[in-house]
Amino acid sequence: MLDLKYLRKNQEVATQKLTDRGVQEGVLADLLAADQKRRDVIAKVEELKAKRNEASDKIAFAKRQKEDASAAIQEMQAVAKEIKNLDQELEGLDQAVKDQAAHLPNIAEDDVPVGPDEEANVEIRTWEPADYEGRPLVKTEAPAWLKPHYEIGEDLGILDFERGAKVSGARFLYYVGDGARLERALYNFMLDQHREEGYTEMITPIVVNDSAMFGTGQYPKFQDDAYRVEGLNQTYIPTAEVSLTNYYAGETIPTEDLPISITALSPSFRKEAGAAGRDTRGLIRLHQFNKVEMVKFAKPDQSDQELEKMTNNAESILQKLGLPYHVITLSTGDMGFSAAKTHDLEVWLPAQGMYREISSVSNTRDFQARRMHITYRNEDGKLELVHTLNGSGLAVGRTVAAILENYQNENGTVTVPEVLRPYLGGQKTLQATPHH
């Protein structure tokens, strides 16, 4: 949620910043007009309450003097009725202002590239392993035998999309045998890494209430993309960001505890309503997938530094797995709703011949904290909103896809990255095995 005081004082700058985020012209002006009307009514109510107090004093005085107080009583009743009517009007105006403000995205930081879509994203750095074990490097032409991850998975009998669709519908699957073990190895490895980096591990609820979805910015705007629990104001989480960030909702965090870093593995549920016809095969765009999430709470002067740290934490996973990737800063038109600045990590998928998103790391500044009322006490002892940050560390299914494609061998087997071997009982390759 944006600060209304900031919007009032900086209407011109805010209008431009919101236009950069794709907000239509006139939306902010309409919000501020509704806000002004609301403030005018508040002023009128205050004025009438003073008048009512005056009338009350007159009545008390008249009664003490044994004089007729009927005119003052009549006046007070009329004022009380007017206050009641204005209070009702104010309730409606409050709701209208809140609803309009809830649909405005966060304002981008000044160093975020301005542009309408992903074409305006800016590459910051690329990374490739020094020893690529004879695998096709990013810059070289892919060999003829290279297969996409879903074909490798099906050929090895470790990914079963057909039965996933039979039981649940499109974009669901079964991980089988070594496929299930690889997924489990990956998220255990990721959680262990983050724990070493100072994150506290959690297991969170995967069903949350509407207030939690509003808090992180998924509601009201993206309700159509969520899996809701019928008959209840509850939703299956689209990411553990929701349950992790809401952990401190409505609380004041002790200043000495900041920054706080927490992490969780969770299933994530998304309808992918806007993704019809995109990535219909494979692990890239599923309705249910596992993700390891990182969340931080920081003081305002710490959050920029924490964004870079969190980006490095996600990169470290890819580097240890030996997966080539690049880091990009998202443009104003490509960023998520709550983000003020986002770094995306995109991993190289050789069969597609392109980089694909595997982690999105964002600083939302005080945007989410304002919705969730998460505060700390600053040096003067005054309550101030914390900054919240979140990032995938990493999306597990997409990491499986990247390993299958980058570590595939000409004979159809897949080499297990060295760091994962201890999690797989020392196993070095994935190969087709009969299973029931």
Side-chain angles (χ1 to χ4, degrees):
M1 202 80 137
L2 295 170
D3 183 2
L4 276 171
K5 279 185 202 160
Y6 166 83
L7 296 175
R8 280 183 217 123
K9 282 182 189 165
N10 305 278
Q11 187 172 350
E12 208 175 304
V13 175
T15 300
Q16 183 54 56
K17 287 273 192 188
L18 288 167
T19 304
D20 293 343
R21 295 289 330 253
V23 174
Q24 286 181 326
E25 207 181 321
V27 169
L28 180 58
D30 289 349
L31 167 65
L32 291 176
D35 177 52
Q36 187 57 53
K37 192 174 176 189
R38 180 183 71 96
R39 292 165 78 216
D40 291 344
V41 171
I42 290 171
K44 180 77 177 153
V45 168
E46 293 305 318
E47 197 183 301
L48 287 169
K49 280 179 179 171
K51 207 172 170 184
R52 183 178 63 185
N53 293 342
E54 213 176 284
S56 180
D57 291 343
K58 275 185 197 170
I59 294 164
F61 180 77
K63 283 183 175 173
R64 277 200 303 276
Q65 302 298 315
K66 307 247 187 304
E67 289 172 5
D68 178 21
S70 56
I73 290 170
Q74 220 171 346
E75 185 191 355
M76 192 164 91
Q77 285 170 341
V79 169
K81 193 179 176 185
E82 203 177 338
I83 289 172
K84 193 183 172 187
N85 291 340
L86 284 173
D87 276 343
Q88 281 178 336
E89 188 186 342
L90 193 56
E91 217 172 278
L93 285 167
D94 271 338
Q95 197 53 50
V97 168
K98 192 181 174 187
D99 289 348
Q100 286 180 58
H103 282 82
L104 289 181
N106 202 353
I107 279 173
E109 291 181 21
D110 291 338
D111 59 351
V112 168
V114 175
D117 51 33
E118 59 194 30
E119 295 300 315
N121 295 344
V122 173
E123 185 180 79
I124 309 171
R125 55 186 170 269
T126 61
W127 185 89
E128 276 183 20
D131 169 22
Y132 209 30
E133 294 184 12
R135 294 175 281 147
L137 279 160
V138 173
K139 310 274 186 309
T140 60
E141 204 175 308
W145 50 264
L146 205 71
K147 292 187 291 194
H149 67 274
Y150 44 87
E151 280 182 24
I152 301 166
E154 284 168 341
D155 291 350
L156 293 177
I158 61 174
L159 302 178
D160 195 332
F161 294 97
E162 207 175 302
R163 287 189 176 95
K166 174 182 75 174
V167 174
S168 301
R171 300 186 197 266
F172 289 92
L173 83 151
Y174 285 90
Y175 284 84
V176 181
D178 279 350
R181 291 178 70 232
L182 177 62
E183 173 105 355
R184 179 157 55 92
L186 268 171
Y187 58 65
N188 282 330
F189 163 67
M190 291 172 188
L191 290 168
D192 287 348
Q193 289 300 305
H194 295 322
R195 202 162 45 82
E196 280 175 30
E197 290 158 346
Y199 289 80
T200 298
E201 187 181 339
M202 292 191 175
I203 295 175
T204 75
I206 59 168
V207 175
V208 295
N209 57 30
D210 287 358
S211 163
M213 289 291 278
F214 176 81
T216 40
Q218 277 79 11
Y219 283 2
K221 199 162 182 193
F222 304 103
Q223 204 156 316
D224 290 348
D225 211 25
Y227 278 102
R228 288 180 61 73
V229 182
E230 206 173 331
L232 299 169
N233 291 327
Q234 291 178 320
T235 301
Y236 289 98
I237 56 172
T239 160
E241 173 203 336
V242 180
S243 42
L244 284 173
T245 316
N246 276 279
Y247 185 72
Y248 287 111
E251 295 184 32
T252 297
I253 300 174
T255 308
E256 61 275 15
D257 291 355
L258 295 169
I260 291 171
S261 303
I262 51 182
T263 186
L265 161 78
S266 79
S268 303
F269 301 90
R270 297 182 191 180
K271 282 189 183 168
E272 294 288 2
R278 290 176 65 196
D279 300 304
T280 49
R281 296 191 71 184
L283 298 168
I284 300 299
R285 208 175 288 277
L286 298 166
H287 290 313
Q288 176 198 327
F289 57 94
N290 286 321
K291 185 154 70 77
V292 172
E293 187 71 11
M294 304 175 286
V295 161
K296 284 179 184 270
F297 302 87
K299 293 183 211 171
D301 63 355
Q302 297 169 329
S303 68
D304 287 340
Q305 189 187 352
E306 293 303 322
L307 176 69
E308 300 313 316
K309 273 195 202 167
M310 193 186 270
T311 306
N312 295 153
N313 298 152
E315 285 183 76
S316 151
I317 301 280
L318 289 171
Q319 289 179 11
K320 285 178 175 166
L321 290 168
L323 293 170
Y325 67 89
H326 71 168
V327 183
I328 56 176
T329 299
L330 297 191
S331 72
T332 51
D334 199 29
M335 279 197 311
F337 181 79
S338 298
K341 185 177 188 175
T342 299
H343 294 320
D344 264 14
L345 273 62
E346 295 186 331
V347 71
W348 180 252
L349 292 184
Q352 288 193 12
M354 66 192 291
Y355 290 108
R356 297 302 303 263
E357 182 202 327
I358 197 162
S359 174
S360 216
V361 186
S362 299
N363 187 353
T364 77
R365 303 193 82 76
D366 62 10
F367 186 85
Q368 292 179 328
R370 182 171 283 105
R371 287 171 165 241
M372 288 182 273
H373 311 293
I374 306 176
T375 54
Y376 77 103
R377 290 196 181 275
N378 64 19
E379 285 168 6
D380 304 326
K382 288 184 182 157
L383 286 178
E384 206 177 316
L385 293 166
V386 300
H387 281 190
T388 62
L389 302 95
N390 63 76
S392 330
L394 306 161
V396 187
R398 290 186 177 203
T399 313
V400 169
I403 286 169
L404 295 181
E405 290 200 12
N406 282 283
Y407 280 92
Q408 64 182 298
N409 303 308
E410 196 170 354
N411 65 1
T413 63
V414 174
T415 303
V416 174
E418 213 165 308
V419 288
L420 293 183
R421 291 173 194 173
Y423 294 88
L424 287 162
Q427 190 173 333
K428 290 181 180 174
T429 56
L430 306 176
Q431 43 205 353
T433 50
H435 59 80
H436 303 287

